[in-house]
Amino acid sequence: MEKVFIEPTRTTPLINFDPDEGLLEMKGRSSPENSIQFYQRVLENLDEYAVSGGQEFTVNIAFEYFNTSSSKCLFDVFKRLSRIEASGRTITINWYYEEGDEDMMEAGEDYSDLLDLDFNFYEIEEDDM
């Protein structure tokens, strides 16, 4: 399992997957031309982490925006995290959303409810996104 670091662009988020640290960070805007291809490395690494990763894993999510196809890929990410947690590991999911962005807050609540995962919600100022 390798470390994955992808610099953000106008249409893709920052991705920082560090299996040695037990950390996944995704931040920015997500509307890539091919979401499935873009998130493939993250999903593959989560599959490997499920087999040979550490006991604790932290996920920090701070999206300004994501499109429908990215939403499906995020659902797949959270499904894998749910499986990892079900295997007895500790998963911490921190969902950051811009001050007043109820849609983004509700999106996190939906993922949390759909997959029975506990999310920590943090409202932050726009400059901190």
Side-chain angles (χ1 to χ4, degrees), residues 36-93:
I36 294 169
Q37 183 179 12
F38 180 79
Y39 285 98
Q40 189 62 39
R41 287 175 62 200
V42 172
L43 296 172
E44 289 171 357
N45 270 14
L46 285 172
D47 288 340
E48 288 183 44
Y49 194 89
V51 174
S52 59
Q55 202 52 32
E56 295 184 11
F57 195 74
T58 300
V59 182
N60 296 318
I61 307 285
F63 282 111
E64 297 170 33
Y65 167 82
F66 55 83
N67 65 7
T68 305
S69 61
S70 295
S71 175
K72 167 66 171 105
C73 293
L74 292 174
F75 184 78
D76 292 341
V77 165
F78 293 125
K79 270 198 317 194
R80 282 165 172 79
L81 291 169
S82 180
R83 281 190 228 127
I84 292 169
E85 186 175 65
S87 74
R89 297 199 181 106
T90 302
I91 303 290
T92 302
I93 301 172

Coordinates of all heavy atoms in Angstrom, one line a residue, residues 36-93:
I36 N -14.6 8.1 -11.3 CA -14.3 6.7 -11.0 C -12.8 6.6 -11.1 O -12.1 6.0 -10.2 CB -15.0 5.7 -11.8 CG1 -16.5 5.8 -11.5 CG2 -14.5 4.3 -11.7 CD1 -17.4 5.1 -12.4
Q37 N -12.2 7.0 -12.2 CA -10.8 6.9 -12.4 C -10.0 7.7 -11.4 O -9.0 7.3 -10.8 CB -10.4 7.4 -13.8 CG -9.0 7.2 -14.2 CD -8.7 7.7 -15.6 OE1 -9.5 8.3 -16.3 NE2 -7.5 7.3 -16.1
F38 N -10.5 8.9 -11.1 CA -9.8 9.8 -10.2 C -9.7 9.2 -8.8 O -8.7 9.2 -8.1 CB -10.5 11.2 -10.1 CG -9.8 12.1 -9.1 CD1 -8.6 12.8 -9.5 CD2 -10.3 12.3 -7.8 CE1 -7.9 13.6 -8.6 CE2 -9.6 13.1 -6.9 CZ -8.5 13.8 -7.3
Y39 N -10.8 8.6 -8.3 CA -10.8 8.1 -6.9 C -10.3 6.6 -6.8 O -10.3 6.0 -5.7 CB -12.2 8.2 -6.3 CG -12.6 9.6 -5.9 CD1 -13.3 10.4 -6.8 CD2 -12.1 10.1 -4.7 CE1 -13.6 11.7 -6.4 CE2 -12.4 11.4 -4.3 CZ -13.1 12.2 -5.2 OH -13.4 13.5 -4.8
Q40 N -10.0 6.0 -8.0 CA -9.6 4.6 -8.0 C -8.5 4.3 -7.0 O -8.5 3.3 -6.3 CB -9.3 4.1 -9.4 CG -9.1 2.6 -9.6 CD -10.4 1.9 -9.2 OE1 -11.5 2.3 -9.6 NE2 -10.2 0.8 -8.6
R41 N -7.4 5.1 -7.0 CA -6.3 4.8 -6.2 C -6.6 4.8 -4.7 O -6.1 4.0 -3.9 CB -5.1 5.8 -6.5 CG -4.4 5.4 -7.8 CD -3.4 6.4 -8.2 NE -2.3 6.5 -7.2 CZ -1.5 7.6 -7.2 NH1 -1.6 8.6 -8.0 NH2 -0.5 7.6 -6.3
V42 N -7.5 5.8 -4.3 CA -7.9 5.9 -2.9 C -8.7 4.6 -2.6 O -8.5 4.0 -1.5 CB -8.8 7.1 -2.7 CG1 -9.4 7.1 -1.3 CG2 -8.0 8.4 -2.9
L43 N -9.6 4.2 -3.4 CA -10.4 3.0 -3.1 C -9.5 1.7 -3.0 O -9.7 0.9 -2.1 CB -11.5 2.8 -4.2 CG -12.5 3.9 -4.2 CD1 -13.4 3.8 -5.5 CD2 -13.3 4.0 -3.0
E44 N -8.6 1.6 -3.9 CA -7.7 0.5 -3.9 C -6.9 0.5 -2.6 O -6.7 -0.6 -2.0 CB -6.8 0.5 -5.1 CG -7.5 0.1 -6.4 CD -6.6 0.4 -7.7 OE1 -5.4 0.8 -7.5 OE2 -7.1 0.1 -8.8
N45 N -6.4 1.6 -2.2 CA -5.6 1.7 -1.0 C -6.4 1.4 0.2 O -5.9 0.8 1.2 CB -4.9 3.1 -0.9 CG -3.5 3.1 -1.5 OD1 -3.2 2.2 -2.2 ND2 -2.8 4.1 -1.2
L46 N -7.7 1.8 0.2 CA -8.6 1.5 1.4 C -8.8 0.0 1.4 O -8.9 -0.6 2.5 CB -9.9 2.2 1.3 CG -9.8 3.7 1.7 CD1 -11.2 4.4 1.3 CD2 -9.5 3.9 3.1
D47 N -8.9 -0.7 0.3 CA -9.1 -2.1 0.3 C -7.8 -2.8 0.9 O -7.9 -3.7 1.6 CB -9.3 -2.6 -1.2 CG -10.7 -2.3 -1.7 OD1 -11.6 -2.0 -0.9 OD2 -10.8 -2.3 -2.9
E48 N -6.6 -2.3 0.5 CA -5.4 -2.8 1.1 C -5.3 -2.5 2.6 O -4.9 -3.4 3.4 CB -4.2 -2.3 0.4 CG -4.0 -2.8 -1.0 CD -2.7 -2.3 -1.7 OE1 -1.7 -2.2 -1.0 OE2 -2.8 -1.9 -2.9
Y49 N -5.7 -1.3 3.0 CA -5.7 -1.0 4.4 C -6.6 -1.9 5.2 O -6.3 -2.2 6.3 CB -6.1 0.5 4.5 CG -5.7 1.1 5.9 CD1 -4.5 1.6 6.1 CD2 -6.6 1.0 7.0 CE1 -4.2 2.1 7.4 CE2 -6.3 1.5 8.2 CZ -5.1 2.0 8.4 OH -4.7 2.5 9.7
A50 N -7.7 -2.3 4.6 CA -8.6 -3.2 5.3 C -7.9 -4.5 5.7 O -8.3 -5.1 6.7 CB -9.9 -3.4 4.4
V51 N -7.0 -4.9 4.9 CA -6.3 -6.2 5.1 C -5.1 -6.0 6.0 O -4.9 -6.8 6.9 CB -5.9 -6.8 3.7 CG1 -5.0 -8.0 3.9 CG2 -7.1 -7.1 2.9
S52 N -4.3 -5.0 5.8 CA -3.0 -4.9 6.5 C -2.7 -3.6 7.1 O -1.6 -3.3 7.5 CB -1.9 -5.2 5.5 OG -1.9 -4.3 4.4
G53 N -3.8 -2.7 7.3 CA -3.5 -1.4 7.9 C -3.5 -1.4 9.4 O -3.7 -2.5 10.1
G54 N -3.3 -0.3 10.0 CA -3.2 -0.1 11.4 C -4.6 -0.2 12.1 O -5.6 -0.4 11.5
Q55 N -4.6 0.0 13.4 CA -5.8 -0.1 14.3 C -6.6 1.2 14.2 O -7.8 1.1 14.4 CB -5.3 -0.4 15.7 CG -6.4 -1.1 16.5 CD -7.0 -2.3 15.9 OE1 -6.4 -3.1 15.2 NE2 -8.3 -2.5 16.2
E56 N -6.0 2.3 14.0 CA -6.7 3.6 14.0 C -6.5 4.3 12.6 O -5.4 4.3 12.1 CB -6.2 4.5 15.1 CG -6.5 3.9 16.5 CD -6.1 4.9 17.6 OE1 -5.8 6.0 17.3 OE2 -6.1 4.4 18.7
F57 N -7.6 4.9 12.2 CA -7.6 5.6 10.9 C -8.4 6.9 11.0 O -9.6 6.9 11.5 CB -8.2 4.7 9.8 CG -7.9 5.2 8.4 CD1 -6.6 5.0 7.9 CD2 -8.9 5.7 7.6 CE1 -6.3 5.5 6.6 CE2 -8.6 6.2 6.3 CZ -7.3 6.0 5.8
T58 N -7.9 8.0 10.6 CA -8.6 9.3 10.6 C -8.8 9.8 9.2 O -7.9 9.7 8.3 CB -7.7 10.3 11.4 OG1 -7.5 9.9 12.7 CG2 -8.4 11.7 11.4
V59 N -10.0 10.3 9.0 CA -10.4 10.8 7.7 C -10.8 12.3 7.9 O -11.7 12.6 8.7 CB -11.6 10.0 7.1 CG1 -11.9 10.6 5.7 CG2 -11.2 8.6 7.0
N60 N -10.2 13.2 7.1 CA -10.6 14.6 7.2 C -11.1 15.0 5.8 O -10.4 14.9 4.8 CB -9.4 15.5 7.5 CG -8.8 15.2 8.9 OD1 -9.6 15.0 9.9 ND2 -7.5 15.1 9.1
I61 N -12.4 15.4 5.8 CA -13.1 15.8 4.6 C -13.4 17.3 4.6 O -14.1 17.7 5.6 CB -14.3 15.0 4.4 CG1 -14.1 13.5 4.5 CG2 -15.0 15.4 3.1 CD1 -13.4 12.9 3.3
A62 N -13.0 18.1 3.6 CA -13.4 19.5 3.6 C -13.7 19.9 2.1 O -12.8 20.4 1.5 CB -12.3 20.3 4.2
F63 N -14.9 19.6 1.7 CA -15.2 19.9 0.3 C -16.0 21.2 0.2 O -16.9 21.5 1.0 CB -16.1 18.8 -0.3 CG -15.3 17.6 -0.8 CD1 -15.5 16.4 -0.1 CD2 -14.5 17.7 -1.8 CE1 -14.8 15.3 -0.5 CE2 -13.8 16.5 -2.2 CZ -13.9 15.3 -1.6
E64 N -15.6 22.0 -0.8 CA -16.4 23.2 -1.1 C -17.6 22.8 -2.0 O -18.6 23.4 -1.9 CB -15.5 24.2 -1.9 CG -14.3 24.7 -1.1 CD -13.4 25.5 -2.1 OE1 -13.9 26.2 -3.0 OE2 -12.2 25.5 -1.8
Y65 N -17.3 21.8 -2.8 CA -18.3 21.3 -3.8 C -17.9 20.0 -4.3 O -16.7 19.7 -4.4 CB -18.4 22.3 -5.0 CG -19.1 21.8 -6.2 CD1 -20.5 21.9 -6.2 CD2 -18.5 21.2 -7.2 CE1 -21.3 21.4 -7.2 CE2 -19.2 20.6 -8.3 CZ -20.6 20.7 -8.3 OH -21.3 20.2 -9.3
F66 N -18.9 19.1 -4.5 CA -18.6 17.9 -5.3 C -19.9 17.6 -6.2 O -21.0 17.9 -5.8 CB -18.3 16.7 -4.4 CG -19.2 16.3 -3.3 CD1 -20.3 15.6 -3.6 CD2 -19.0 16.8 -2.0 CE1 -21.2 15.2 -2.6 CE2 -19.9 16.4 -1.0 CZ -21.0 15.7 -1.3
N67 N -19.6 17.1 -7.4 CA -20.7 16.8 -8.3 C -21.3 15.4 -8.0 O -20.8 14.7 -7.1 CB -20.2 16.9 -9.8 CG -19.1 15.9 -10.1 OD1 -18.8 15.0 -9.4 ND2 -18.5 16.1 -11.3
T68 N -22.3 15.0 -8.8 CA -23.0 13.8 -8.6 C -22.1 12.6 -8.7 O -22.2 11.6 -7.9 CB -24.2 13.7 -9.6 OG1 -25.0 14.9 -9.4 CG2 -25.0 12.5 -9.3
S69 N -21.3 12.5 -9.7 CA -20.4 11.3 -9.9 C -19.4 11.2 -8.8 O -19.0 10.1 -8.3 CB -19.8 11.3 -11.3 OG -18.9 12.4 -11.5
S70 N -18.9 12.4 -8.3 CA -18.0 12.3 -7.1 C -18.7 11.9 -5.9 O -18.2 11.1 -5.1 CB -17.4 13.7 -6.8 OG -16.6 14.2 -7.9
S71 N -20.0 12.2 -5.8 CA -20.8 11.8 -4.6 C -20.9 10.3 -4.6 O -20.8 9.7 -3.5 CB -22.2 12.4 -4.8 OG -23.1 11.9 -3.8
K72 N -21.0 9.6 -5.7 CA -21.1 8.2 -5.7 C -19.7 7.6 -5.3 O -19.7 6.6 -4.5 CB -21.4 7.7 -7.1 CG -21.2 6.2 -7.4 CD -22.1 5.3 -6.6 CE -22.0 3.9 -7.1 NZ -21.2 3.0 -6.2
C73 N -18.6 8.2 -5.7 CA -17.3 7.7 -5.3 C -17.1 7.9 -3.8 O -16.5 7.1 -3.2 CB -16.2 8.4 -6.2 SG -16.3 8.0 -7.9
L74 N -17.6 9.0 -3.3 CA -17.4 9.3 -1.9 C -18.2 8.2 -1.1 O -17.8 7.7 -0.1 CB -17.9 10.7 -1.5 CG -17.0 11.8 -2.0 CD1 -17.7 13.2 -1.7 CD2 -15.6 11.7 -1.4
F75 N -19.4 7.9 -1.6 CA -20.2 6.8 -1.0 C -19.4 5.5 -0.9 O -19.3 4.8 0.1 CB -21.5 6.6 -1.7 CG -22.4 5.6 -1.1 CD1 -23.2 5.9 0.0 CD2 -22.5 4.3 -1.6 CE1 -24.0 5.0 0.6 CE2 -23.3 3.4 -1.0 CZ -24.1 3.7 0.1
D76 N -18.7 5.2 -2.0 CA -17.8 4.0 -2.1 C -16.7 4.1 -1.0 O -16.3 3.1 -0.4 CB -17.3 3.8 -3.5 CG -18.3 3.4 -4.5 OD1 -19.4 2.9 -4.1 OD2 -18.1 3.5 -5.7
V77 N -16.1 5.3 -0.9 CA -15.0 5.5 0.1 C -15.6 5.2 1.5 O -15.0 4.4 2.3 CB -14.5 6.9 0.1 CG1 -13.7 7.3 1.3 CG2 -13.6 7.1 -1.2
F78 N -16.8 5.8 1.8 CA -17.4 5.6 3.1 C -17.8 4.1 3.4 O -17.8 3.6 4.5 CB -18.5 6.5 3.4 CG -18.0 8.0 3.5 CD1 -18.5 9.0 2.7 CD2 -17.0 8.3 4.4 CE1 -18.1 10.3 2.7 CE2 -16.6 9.6 4.5 CZ -17.1 10.6 3.7
K79 N -18.3 3.4 2.3 CA -18.6 2.0 2.4 C -17.4 1.2 2.9 O -17.5 0.3 3.7 CB -19.1 1.4 1.1 CG -20.6 1.6 0.9 CD -21.2 0.7 -0.1 CE -20.4 0.6 -1.4 NZ -21.2 0.0 -2.5
R80 N -16.3 1.5 2.3 CA -15.0 0.8 2.6 C -14.6 1.1 4.1 O -14.2 0.3 4.8 CB -13.9 1.1 1.7 CG -14.0 0.4 0.4 CD -13.2 1.0 -0.7 NE -13.1 0.1 -1.9 CZ -14.1 0.1 -2.9 NH1 -15.2 0.8 -2.7 NH2 -13.9 -0.7 -3.9
L81 N -14.8 2.4 4.5 CA -14.5 2.8 5.8 C -15.4 2.1 6.8 O -14.9 1.6 7.9 CB -14.6 4.3 6.0 CG -13.5 5.1 5.3 CD1 -13.9 6.6 5.3 CD2 -12.1 4.9 5.9
S82 N -16.6 1.9 6.4 CA -17.6 1.2 7.3 C -17.2 -0.3 7.5 O -17.2 -0.8 8.6 CB -19.0 1.2 6.7 OG -19.9 0.6 7.4
R83 N -16.7 -0.9 6.4 CA -16.2 -2.3 6.5 C -15.0 -2.4 7.4 O -14.8 -3.3 8.2 CB -15.9 -2.9 5.1 CG -17.1 -3.3 4.4 CD -16.8 -4.1 3.1 NE -17.6 -3.5 2.1 CZ -17.1 -3.1 0.9 NH1 -15.8 -3.1 0.6 NH2 -17.9 -2.6 0.0
I84 N -14.1 -1.4 7.3 CA -12.8 -1.4 8.1 C -13.2 -1.2 9.6 O -12.7 -2.0 10.4 CB -11.9 -0.2 7.6 CG1 -11.3 -0.6 6.3 CG2 -10.8 -0.1 8.7 CD1 -10.6 0.6 5.6
E85 N -14.2 -0.4 9.9 CA -14.6 -0.2 11.2 C -15.3 -1.4 11.7 O -15.1 -1.8 12.9 CB -15.6 1.0 11.3 CG -16.0 1.4 12.7 CD -16.9 2.6 12.7 OE1 -18.0 2.5 12.2 OE2 -16.4 3.6 13.3
A86 N -16.1 -2.1 10.9 CA -16.8 -3.3 11.3 C -15.8 -4.4 11.7 O -16.1 -5.4 12.4 CB -17.7 -3.8 10.2
S87 N -14.5 -4.3 11.1 CA -13.5 -5.4 11.4 C -12.9 -5.1 12.8 O -11.9 -5.8 13.2 CB -12.5 -5.4 10.3 OG -11.6 -4.3 10.4
G88 N -13.3 -4.1 13.5 CA -12.8 -3.8 14.8 C -11.8 -2.7 15.0 O -11.3 -2.4 16.0
R89 N -11.6 -2.0 13.9 CA -10.7 -0.8 13.9 C -11.4 0.4 14.3 O -12.6 0.5 14.2 CB -10.0 -0.7 12.6 CG -9.1 -1.9 12.3 CD -8.1 -1.5 11.2 NE -7.3 -2.6 10.8 CZ -7.4 -3.3 9.7 NH1 -8.4 -2.9 8.8 NH2 -6.6 -4.2 9.4
T90 N -10.7 1.4 14.8 CA -11.3 2.7 15.1 C -11.1 3.7 13.9 O -10.0 3.9 13.5 CB -10.5 3.3 16.3 OG1 -10.6 2.4 17.4 CG2 -11.1 4.7 16.7
I91 N -12.3 4.2 13.5 CA -12.3 5.1 12.4 C -12.8 6.4 12.9 O -13.9 6.5 13.5 CB -13.2 4.6 11.2 CG1 -12.8 3.3 10.7 CG2 -13.3 5.7 10.1 CD1 -11.5 3.2 9.9
T92 N -12.1 7.5 12.6 CA -12.6 8.9 13.0 C -12.8 9.7 11.7 O -11.8 9.8 10.9 CB -11.5 9.6 13.9 OG1 -11.3 8.8 15.1 CG2 -12.0 11.0 14.3
I93 N -14.0 10.1 11.5 CA -14.3 10.9 10.3 C -14.7 12.3 10.7 O -15.6 12.5 11.4 CB -15.5 10.3 9.5 CG1 -15.1 8.8 9.1 CG2 -15.8 11.1 8.3 CD1 -16.2 8.0 8.5

